Structures are given as structure tokens and as C-alpha cells.
């Protein structure tokens, strides 16, 4: 980009009282590429010339002459935006890639620094949905990018392996489950049990109490509850592992929510001692009204800890253990508020490093216009998507290149590559409508 930056600096320099370095340092990337490729904010000039920044941007736009490299210059509010000549950019980038090969884009900017990328994080006993696929694919790409920049990266899978849903699952399994049936097709069957629990609980609310009791037993270390929970974990992880192997993705740690259980009591006590917590309707909360947010729940009325409590403990533990320079949470945009809340609590606890934590959010995967929830029946299992993609790739090979060697292997690579590509090629923060035609579009 150096060449283009220099071209912009040369355009601006005769018209502003700034050095080349100052101009280059001032240039920004607009939040949306539709606005331009580079933006020059006019605020500092406004002070200098005692004129409104927007007026300066408009006047500069009049004065600057477009060039072949920078064919369009447009003011937008207080910014003067520059559009690069796309075909030239593309040509330059491709030439650079072909000259540098695998070394393209690598640097040492991250030397000696550590980045934690938390991603994928599916829930035990629930299907690995296409929403988790987005986190997995984006997180994996970020891991590669940070590695290429010289950072040490730590990949963490924050498995959803704790919470009241395990009380429900234990009740459902004990009431309607059969060991052989579950062994044969664990996640499908666990998922059906979970759906059934919610259906039956609507008629019979006593089931909810039973589930609460079982979760409490699990939290208290009851051997039977632990054994069933452990078994659900092993069965689920085996299935997740199969998916990760097919996607070619791995992790450094599979430390799920339950990993932090032993740290919660001490954490909650410290938050209370710091005067940050209070009881409200029997639950222990951190009041966040001064920050225009609903309260963060530390403990429910029945003393059970929550998702947010475990996230606070996880953040502390990871900082203590890894002294990260950055920590990325690759999680759907529907959890934005959750991250804002617990980042705020970390800040209130006095942790300066919360500034290094980022929620890398992404749009939801919508299916028939409804968010894919696991409580209802409408969910697409990721493995079905992968299998279907591979089958389609295979039929294309049969049609176009039937004598290809290692057909099965190629079909697996192409099919899965297509699924990953469909995901990465859509804008991260936008919602995506799940469409087979799009995912399996080999054009
Ligand atoms: N298991 C959660 C889910 O499926 C995602 C966990 C996100 N990570 C976190 N640190 N809260 O919704």
C-alpha cells in the first residue's frame, strides 16, 4: 500500500501545513469501504484555520486533482476520502503475492507478544451448529493472521460444559433415555432429549424443579450427577473432534466453563469485598445502571453461578497465566451485551488489561428467518452440511472429471473448502441467511 499512501500524501501536501509523515500518520481507514479506501480527518486543520472541518474537507476536495492511482476524492462530513484505482491495487497485490509466496504479509510486529484467540466454543450435549462454524472458521483465520504477524497465539475452546441445562439433560436422560440408544448417536439423541424436556416441562412444571435439584447436585459434586455429566462430555467431545479433524482445525486448550468452577467462590467474595455486588430479589448482582446496562448476575437465588461469573473467572485466570497482550473472543453479535457487561465489571475490579480484550462479533446465521435456537426443532447439524457439500463436490467430479485420482479425498477437500469459503467471504458483522445454494455454490 506504500505506493498508494505516497500518492495520497503527495496530493495533500501542497495544500496543508503538515509534513509527509504527519499526513501519513493522520490517514485513517473508513469504517465502511463504501466510503473510501483512506480517509483524511480535517479536525486538526479546523483548529489551525478556524473553519469547520466539513468545510475544509469540501474545499480540499475541490482543489485536489485526481490521479490515475487515486481517481476519486470525495468529502464526507469532516473527512476527505480517497478511492484507490482498484485494478491497480489488485494487480499490485497479486504480483506481490506471487513474488513472496507463503511469506506474503508476514511481519515481526508481534514478536514477543501473546494473543489469545478464544473461538468455536460449542456446547456439550448440543449440536455443533452453523453458528459455531462461523466462530470456528473466523477464529482459525485470526489465529493464522496473528501467527503470520509474529505473535504467539493461544487457541482456547471455551466449551459450554456447565450450567442449568445439565440438570435438565440429566432428568431427561433418566426419565426417557436409554444407554444403547444414546451411545449410538449421542448428540442427536441428547438434543432430542433436550427438546423433549422443554415440551414436557410446559405441561409439567415440576420437571423444572427436578432439573434444578440435579444441577445443584452436580455443583455439589454428587457422584451420580458427575458421572452422567462426564459421560455426556466424552460423547460430545468425540463428535466435535470429528468435525475439527475434517475442518483441519485444532486448539491449544479445551478449557470449558467448568474448568473455572473452583475459582468462582473466591472471585465472588472479592467482588463483594470490593463493594461491587449486592443482593436483589435473592440474586447476587453487580448493578450496572450507571452504565446504562442491566445488572450482571453473579449468583442466582438458589446460589447457582452463571455464565457471566465463569467468564469473569476465565478472564482473570487467562491474564494470570498468559499475560496476554490481546484477547479475542470470537462470539456471535447476539452476545454483545454480555461482553459489554462483564468487560465493565472487570474494569470496575480495577483491571487495566480489560482494554486488551475484544469481542470479535459476527452476524447470526439465520434459517427460515429465525435464529437457530436449540430448544426448538429447527436446526441444521453442521455434519449434515459438510456431508452434503462433499457429496455435491463428488457428483461434480463424476460429471466433469471421472478419471481423477483420489476422487474421495479431493471431494472432501473441495466440499469442505467451499463451506469454509462461503463463511469467510461474507462480511463478518452481517447476518447471513443460511442457503444451501449459497454454501454449495461452486462457482
Ligand atoms: N458456548 C457459548 C455459546 O455457544 C459461547 C461461549 C463464548 N465465549 C465466552 N467466553 N462466553 O453460545
Amino acid at each position: 500500500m506504500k505506493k498508494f499512501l505516497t500518492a495520497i500524501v503527495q496530493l495533500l501536501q501542497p495544500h496543508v501545513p503538515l509534513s509527509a509523515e504527519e499526513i501519513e500518520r493522520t490517514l485513517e481507514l473508513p469504517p465502511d469501504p463504501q466510503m473510501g479506501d483512506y480517509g483524511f480527518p480535517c479536525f486538526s486543520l479546523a483548529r489551525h484555520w478556524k473553519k469547520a472541518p466539513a468545510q475544509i474537507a469540501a474545499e480540499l476536495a475541490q482543489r485536489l486533482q485526481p490521479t490515475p492511482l487515486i481517481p476519486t476524492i470525495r468529502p464526507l462530513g469532516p473527512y476527505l476520502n480517497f478511492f484507490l484505482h482498484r485494478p491497480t491495487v489488485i494487480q499490485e497485490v497479486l504480483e506481490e503475492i506471487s513474488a513472496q509466496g507463503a511469506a506474503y504479509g508476514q511481519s515481526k510486529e508481534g514478536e514477543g507478544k501473546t494473543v489469545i484467540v478464544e473461538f468455536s466454543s460449542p456446547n456439550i450435549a448440543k449440536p455443533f451448529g452453523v453458528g459455531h462454524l462461523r466462530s470456528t472458521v473466523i477464529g482459525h483465520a485470526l489465529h493464522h493472521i496473528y501467527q503470520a504477524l509474529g505473535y504467539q497465539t493461544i487457541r482456547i475452546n471455551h466449551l459450554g460444559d456447565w450450567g442449568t441445562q445439565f440438570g435438565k439433560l440429566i432428568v431427561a436422560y433418566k426419565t426417557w433415555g436409554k444407554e444403547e440408544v444414546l451411545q449410538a448417536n449421542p448428540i442427536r439423541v441428547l438434543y432430542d432429549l433436550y427438546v423433549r424436556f422443554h415440551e414436557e416441562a410446559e405441561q409439567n412444571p415440576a420437571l423444572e424443579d427436578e432439573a434444578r435439584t440435579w444441577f445443584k447436585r452436580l455443583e455439589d459434586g454428587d457422584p451420580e450427577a458427575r458421572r452422567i455429566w462426564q459421560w455426556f462430555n466424552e460423547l460430545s467431545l468425540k463428535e466435535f473432534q470429528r468435525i475439527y479433524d475434517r475442518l483441519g482445525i485444532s486448539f491449544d486448550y479445551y478449557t470449558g466453563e467448568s474448568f473455572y468452577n473452583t475459582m468462582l467462590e473466591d472471585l465472588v467474595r472479592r467482588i463483594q469485598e470490593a463493594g461491587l455486588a449486592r443482593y436483589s430479589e435473592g440474586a447476587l448482582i453487580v448493578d450496572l445502571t450507571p452504565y446504562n446496562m442491566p445488572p450482571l448476575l453473579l449468583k442466582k437465588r438458589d446460589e447457582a453461578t452463571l455464565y457471566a461469573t465463569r467468564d469473569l473467572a476465565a478472564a482473570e485466570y487467562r491474564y494470570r497465566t498468559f499475560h496476554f497482550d490481546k484477547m479475542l473472543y470470537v462470539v456471535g453479535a447476539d452476545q454483545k451485551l454480555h461482553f459489554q457487561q462483564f468487560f465493565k465489571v472487570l474494569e470496575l475490579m480495577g483491571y487495566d488489561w480489560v482494554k486488551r480484550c475484544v469481542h470479535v462479533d459476527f452476524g447470526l446465521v439465520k434459517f427460515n428467518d429465525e435464529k437457530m435456537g436449540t430448544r426448538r426443532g429447527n436446526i441444521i447439524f453442521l455434519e449434515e452440511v459438510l456431508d452434503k457439500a462433499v457429496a455435491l463436490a463428488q457428483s461434480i467430479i463424476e460429471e466433469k472429471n471421472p478419471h481423477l485420482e483420489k476422487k474421495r479425498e479431493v471431494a472432501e477437500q473441495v466440499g469442505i473448502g467451499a463451506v469454509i469459503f462461503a463463511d469467510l467471504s461474507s462480511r463478518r458483522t452481517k447476518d447471513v441467511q443460511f442457503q444451501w445454494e449459497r454454501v454449495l455454490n461452486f462457482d
Side-chain angles (χ1 to χ4, degrees), residues 355-405:
K355 295 195 200 87
R356 307 177 186 189
C357 301
V358 185
H359 173 205
V360 180
D361 63 338
F362 53 83
L364 302 176
V365 181
K366 291 180 170 173
F367 173 61
N368 286 344
D369 277 312
E370 227 179 296
K371 198 194 135 189
M372 258 184 266
T374 29
R375 290 206 191 162
R376 308 249 178 80
N378 62 348
I379 184 154
I380 292 183
F381 287 76
L382 180 64
E383 275 197 300
E384 285 172 16
V385 178
L386 298 182
D387 289 340
K388 199 160 167 174
V390 172
L392 193 75
Q394 196 151 17
S395 71
I396 293 175
I397 293 172
E398 292 301 345
E399 182 193 315
K400 299 200 168 154
N401 197 357
H403 302 298
L404 186 75
E405 267 178 67

Side-chain angles (χ1 to χ4, degrees), residues 186-239:
I187 293 195
R188 177 91 242 181
V189 174
L190 283 168
Y191 174 65
D192 290 343
L193 283 171
Y194 191 68
V195 172
R196 176 150 182 202
F197 179 91
H198 283 277
E199 282 165 7
E200 304 240 358
E202 266 172 40
Q203 315 304 322
N204 177 11
L207 282 171
E208 296 276 3
D209 294 326
E210 234 182 287
R212 258 190 294 278
T213 309
W214 271 100
F215 181 58
K216 188 84 188 90
R217 287 173 71 169
L218 184 60
E219 288 220 293
D220 295 340
D222 172 272
E224 186 185 1
R226 295 290 297 196
R227 188 173 44 73
I228 302 177
W229 170 79
Q230 187 65 44
W231 184 50
F232 289 170
N233 266 276
E234 284 159 16
L235 293 172
S236 304
L237 273 173
K238 218 159 104 210
E239 293 206 26

Side-chain angles (χ1 to χ4, degrees), residues 118 121-123 132 158 160 257 307 311 329 331 335 338-339:
E118 187 217 274
S121 312
N123 300 316
H132 290 114
H158 190 70
E257 293 183 41
Y307 182 54
D311 256 325
Y329 293 88
V331 184
Q335 295 194 32
H338 165 72
F339 283 94

